[in-house]
Amino acid sequence: MAQDLKLTKNQSLVFDKLSAAPGPLSAYDLLDQLRDQGLKAPLQIYRALEKLQEIDLVHRLESMNSFVACAQPNCHAKTGLVAFAICEKCGVVSEFSDEVVQTRLAAWADERSFTTTKTSLEIRGLCQGCG
Amino acid sequence: MAQDLKLTKNQSLVFDKLSAAPGPLSAYDLLDQLRDQGLKAPLQIYRALEKLQEIDLVHRLESMNSFVACAQPNCHAKTGLVAFAICEKCGVVSEFSDEVVQTRLAAWADERSFTTTKTSLEIRGLCQGCG
DNA sequence: ATGCCATACGTTATATCATAACACAATCCA
DNA sequence: TGGATTGTGTTATGATATAACGTATGGCAT
Ligand SMILES: [Zn+2]
Ligand SMILES: [Zn+2]
Ligand SMILES: [Zn+2]
Ligand SMILES: [Zn+2]
């Protein structure tokens, strides 16, 4: 909420909803939960999400078509790679990063002159409590 | 084609089409290309893809909702982790694996008693030719 | 061979996820 | 103050994926 200053009304609504959620939400989940606040169309959600992703306040989970608020105050996505561990039972998502993995992937790309724009790394499984 | 022996007609059609393709195809791309062969409904494609993924002949690219035939005769997905580098311009997908990354992620999971069932790692960007 | 089970198939309908196109409003900043 | 940029609201449409139903096929134990 502190850095919401730059956010528009719709962006704030979406970000606050995601921040308060215990797990990832789909765009349509968000829409359903924000109809009270006047949002009516999917595009309103997707546009807010798009901006929030650009500034790394929100991440998209590719493997489940849904979105989470960033866990870190200063997300590592800004500088490097973010990874997610997703529990398939309780839905909890852990955001983390790993220098070694990041270095390793950078090396792979460098050796092949591959210019990386975005990396997605998602681990699915069961968390400690659910395993 | 050699190991198609175990595959059903629809599975073979889908796998052969994917194998011949220069890049990833969506389920509906496949459907369009297989109407001649009698396939009519999305489910026919999705069911074939499901089976093909189970036996690691086909991989799903989460970040683009599409599918590729496995590049390796004996895919590393059976034993460990597969990664993909996807060129956003020409569409070429490179399948690779990395022991260090794999080990590193396994360690992360182990430390947190997270039971991994599937990992997806996709690097988007520009390949050498397109960069 | 018969009966049974597991898997695959075909079909229709529906659910879920995402963007195109257009007009208008707010904001920034030269 | 005016032009550029960004955000908004709305309608329509496109793209991806699954539910539910019944039938058919193939392996395999009796
Ligand atoms: Zn983050
Ligand atoms: Zn859990
Ligand atoms: Zn493979
Ligand atoms: Zn390329």
Side-chain angles (χ1 to χ4, degrees):
Chain A
M1 289 281 286
Q3 44 194 319
D4 285 18
L5 302 179
K6 321 174 60 172
L7 299 183
T8 67
K9 171 168 153 284
N10 287 1
Q11 288 160 12
S12 290
L13 287 171
V14 168
F15 179 67
D16 289 349
K17 208 44 123 171
L18 269 183
S19 296
L25 296 175
S26 74
Y28 281 77
D29 289 339
L30 284 163
L31 179 55
D32 287 342
Q33 296 188 27
L34 288 171
R35 285 192 195 279
D36 307 347
Q37 335 288 324
L39 298 205
K40 293 171 184 171
L43 256 195
Q44 295 177 293
I45 306 294
Y46 281 108
R47 291 202 273 228
L49 286 170
E50 183 178 27
K51 187 65 180 178
L52 291 167
Q53 286 176 262
E54 278 173 15
I55 57 182
D56 289 313
L57 283 181
V58 162
H59 303 303
R60 175 186 168 83
L61 300 176
E62 303 285 358
S63 67
M64 55 191 305
N65 298 328
S66 61
F67 305 84
V68 286
C70 179
Q72 270 70 24
N74 237 338
C75 179
H76 21 248
K78 284 164 187 152
T79 64
L81 170 150
V82 190
F84 302 92
I86 303 165
C87 177
E88 292 178 319
K89 187 170 176 194
C90 72
V92 158
V93 175
S94 305
E95 178 176 344
F96 68 100
S97 66
D98 187 295
E99 279 291 339
V100 174
V101 169
Q102 185 175 333
T103 301
R104 199 73 186 166
L105 293 177
W108 185 96
D110 191 53
E111 285 165 15
R112 288 155 186 84
S113 301
F114 187 94
T115 309
T116 301
T117 57
K118 181 166 192 293
T119 299
S120 84
L121 174 45
E122 300 176 18
I123 300 174
R124 319 277 312 226
L126 296 175
C127 74
Q128 178 161 29
C130 296
Chain B
M1 290 279 285
Q3 45 194 318
D4 284 17
L5 302 178
K6 321 174 62 173
L7 300 183
T8 67
K9 172 167 153 283
N10 287 1
Q11 289 159 14
S12 291
L13 287 171
V14 168
F15 179 66
D16 289 349
K17 207 46 121 172
L18 270 182
S19 296
L25 297 175
S26 74
Y28 282 77
D29 289 339
L30 285 163
L31 179 55
D32 286 343
Q33 295 188 25
L34 288 172
R35 287 193 194 277
D36 307 346
Q37 336 288 323
L39 298 203
K40 293 172 186 171
L43 256 195
Q44 297 177 291
I45 306 293
Y46 281 108
R47 291 202 273 229
L49 286 171
E50 183 178 27
K51 187 64 180 181
L52 290 167
Q53 285 176 263
E54 278 174 15
I55 57 182
D56 289 313
L57 283 181
V58 163
H59 303 303
R60 176 188 168 82
L61 301 176
E62 304 285 358
S63 68
M64 55 190 304
N65 298 326
S66 60
F67 305 84
V68 286
C70 178
Q72 270 70 24
N74 237 337
C75 179
H76 20 251
K78 285 163 185 154
T79 64
L81 171 151
V82 190
F84 302 92
I86 303 165
C87 177
E88 293 178 319
K89 188 170 176 196
C90 73
V92 158
V93 174
S94 305
E95 177 176 344
F96 68 100
S97 66
D98 187 296
E99 280 290 338
V100 174
V101 170
Q102 185 176 332
T103 301
R104 200 73 186 165
L105 293 177
W108 186 95
D110 190 54
E111 284 164 15
R112 288 156 187 84
S113 301
F114 187 94
T115 308
T116 301
T117 57
K118 182 167 192 295
T119 300
S120 85
L121 174 46
E122 299 176 19
I123 301 175
R124 318 274 315 224
L126 296 175
C127 74
Q128 177 162 29
C130 295

